Amino acid sequence: MVTATTSPPHAIVIPYPAQGHVIPHLELAHALVDRGFTVTFVNSEFNHHRVLAAMADTTATTGLLGRIRLVAVPDGMEPGEDRNNLVRLTVLMAEHMAPRVEDLISRSHAETDEPITCMMTDYSLGTWTLDIARRTRIKSAAVWPASAAVLASLLSIPKLIQDNIIDSKDGSALMQGTFKLSPDMPIMHTAHLAWNCIGNHQGQDALFRNVFGCVRAVEKCDLLLCNSFLGAEEATFAQFPKVVPIGPLLTGERRGRAVGHFWRPEDDACVSWLDAQPARSVVYVAFGSFTMFDTRQFQELALGLELCGRPFLWVVRPDIVHGDVHDYPPGFLDRVGGAGGRGKLVAWSPQQQVLAHPAVACFVTHCGWNSTMEGVRNGVPFLAWPYFADQFVNQLYICDVWKVGLRAEADESGVITKEHIASRVEELMSCASMRDRVEAMKKVALESLKEGGSSHDNFDMFVRAMKE
């Protein structure tokens, strides 16, 4: 095995090719560089080009971030294919990315004076990345970029099968209802198991096989890391002691450095507008990189933001509406935009900077884990509006466990109405006890990252293990 005694520590970092995974893995790469590592950061070609396009031009021309080298490998999908089809993407990556990653590691050993000595792989790629680490005899850590509770549900798949809660073939629910992984952990719903709420049922069995394969694969790695902190999920970490919390990773806080976004942030437009707003007055609305709306729900959201009577900053991603047509309600843009309007619409935002701004009062969110952690560590209460995958469990934490947010609830037709949105926003803005709870969580999160804090000490332990 190549070790730090014969060469400087050199990590290869491989995220799953989705923005919510690339961002925390790139922050992990920066943190490793801070501790003396060289990093090779491997993206799919498609996402590599998106990250470069969102970076400063001077950095994008080189593909270098100090001691981080950005590398692209093909994911096996054709140009123009729908990369939101996560089932197909996951299957193709194992076939097309694996041999190139293994060749990259092998060539570093044969041809360079800084051979790759360790791997940080996204947990969701573990079926093939951890086999490569074993064959090339380098240390490895699997990184779970979401909540420990969702990771616990994956690690519990054998028991869920044994207890006849899920089907062994495709993971589908054999019982409709709720269950607990341990007496002290939150109640979970069978329909909200991550593999049961990604896309449609086509390819469900293949997706579940990959998920189940990752459970077996992580037994081969040296460490299993989680982007959470002890105070957020103490019961889960007690029940699953092999999961090591190192979060919340400070995603988005490295100003002037690439953080993994796929769209160029409109920094000046967002921040200068926020600077002109009163303290704790702005409703911030952002739904991540995957959430899609139909036209009716999109319009109800627009009208709800108008109806709430508060200034709002709304991130309207270019592809957020099915069909890519932003069909705003008649006259909406004229009423809320312009010099006298209360609304600011942008295609993307520097979210960490926005949530840290004193003008922001609440966060209407899809409950992605990065967004959840960013909201918590900035002390901002949530209107929780999940879309898919782990986001339903994250909503449960936000609303029922931590009690730092409210649910956005659909009516009998499945639509979250403008009246409901406005009412929930008003309730959030006026609830002092909820703000006190999220401020208390913020304090715990930040304490965990300081020297002597649990996440800080865990990260140091991880660094030592990878350097040995």
Side-chain angles (χ1 to χ4, degrees), residues 298-365:
F298 181 76
Q299 292 190 346
E300 284 293 312
L301 173 55
L303 294 172
L305 295 174
E306 183 179 9
L307 184 62
C308 75
R310 307 277 187 169
F312 62 88
L313 172 61
W314 183 13
V315 179
V316 186
R317 208 180 63 241
D319 60 346
I320 199 168
V321 180
H322 289 289
D324 294 348
V325 177
H326 296 161
D327 193 5
Y328 294 98
F332 172 78
L333 293 178
D334 292 334
R335 293 192 300 274
V336 304
R342 287 182 289 98
K344 177 70 176 174
L345 280 64
V346 295
W348 197 248
S349 76
Q351 182 160 286
Q352 163 57 34
Q353 194 177 358
V354 168
L355 288 169
H357 199 285
V360 172
C362 67
F363 184 12
V364 182
T365 173

Side-chain angles (χ1 to χ4, degrees), residues 160-180:
L160 296 176
I161 293 172
Q162 179 184 325
D163 294 346
N164 292 317
I165 293 174
I166 61 172
D167 188 276
S168 61
K169 297 183 181 65
D170 62 3
S172 59
L174 295 177
M175 52 158 277
Q176 297 300 319
T178 60
F179 64 94
K180 280 190 169 189

Side-chain angles (χ1 to χ4, degrees), residues 68-85:
I68 300 176
R69 179 167 66 110
L70 303 179
V71 175
V73 295
D75 58 19
M77 299 192 84
E78 297 296 327
E81 270 199 88
D82 179 14
R83 283 174 168 80
N84 288 343
N85 183 344

Side-chain angles (χ1 to χ4, degrees), residues 115-371:
I116 292 169
T117 57
C118 54
M119 174 191 289
M120 280 90 247
T121 175
D122 198 301
Y123 174 98
S124 299
L125 303 178
T127 51
W128 56 272
T129 53
L130 292 171
D131 277 343
I132 291 171
R134 178 178 50 80
R135 286 195 298 271
T136 56
R137 303 183 66 199
I138 61 176
K139 287 184 172 290
S140 60
V143 182
W144 178 252
S147 75
V150 173
L151 176 56
S153 71
L154 306 183
L155 298 175
S156 299
I157 285 175
K159 187 174 189 317
L160 296 176
I161 293 172
Q162 179 184 325
D163 294 346
N164 292 317
I165 293 174
I166 61 172
D167 188 276
S168 61
K169 297 183 181 65
D170 62 3
S172 59
L174 295 177
M175 52 158 277
Q176 297 300 319
T178 60
F179 64 94
K180 280 190 169 189
L181 296 175
S182 80
D184 296 325
M185 286 181 63
I187 292 172
M188 304 185 81
H189 199 289
T190 53
H192 293 163
L193 290 165
W195 57 86
N196 285 333
C197 45
I198 296 179
N200 54 39
H201 291 292
Q202 185 176 5
Q204 174 78 18
D205 55 342
L207 177 64
F208 181 69
R209 282 197 303 273
N210 181 75
V211 171
F212 201 176
C214 289
V215 175
R216 300 187 182 101
V218 295
E219 297 175 358
K220 305 171 188 174
C221 70
D222 296 290
L223 284 168
L224 178 53
L225 310 176
C226 180
N227 182 21
S228 186
F229 60 101
L230 185 60
E233 304 183 80
E234 195 161 0
T236 302
F237 290 116
Q239 184 71 18
F240 294 84
K242 291 184 179 179
V243 180
V244 179
I246 60 166
L249 292 170
L250 299 179
T251 49
E253 291 194 0
R254 296 178 184 268
R255 303 300 307 283
R257 307 275 292 277
V259 293
H261 292 152
F262 295 168
W263 290 273
R264 186 181 292 277
E266 301 188 24
D267 294 30
D268 295 339
C270 287
V271 177
S272 60
W273 183 84
L274 285 170
D275 287 343
Q277 309 305 317
R280 292 186 178 177
S281 67
V282 174
V283 181
Y284 175 56
V285 187
F287 288 92
S289 58
F290 267 99
T291 302
M292 301 284 286
F293 292 117
D294 60 28
T295 298
R296 181 183 177 194
Q297 183 62 82
F298 181 76
Q299 292 190 346
E300 284 293 312
L301 173 55
L303 294 172
L305 295 174
E306 183 179 9
L307 184 62
C308 75
R310 307 277 187 169
F312 62 88
L313 172 61
W314 183 13
V315 179
V316 186
R317 208 180 63 241
D319 60 346
I320 199 168
V321 180
H322 289 289
D324 294 348
V325 177
H326 296 161
D327 193 5
Y328 294 98
F332 172 78
L333 293 178
D334 292 334
R335 293 192 300 274
V336 304
R342 287 182 289 98
K344 177 70 176 174
L345 280 64
V346 295
W348 197 248
S349 76
Q351 182 160 286
Q352 163 57 34
Q353 194 177 358
V354 168
L355 288 169
H357 199 285
V360 172
C362 67
F363 184 12
V364 182
T365 173
H366 64 307
C367 306
W369 190 248
N370 289 332
S371 293

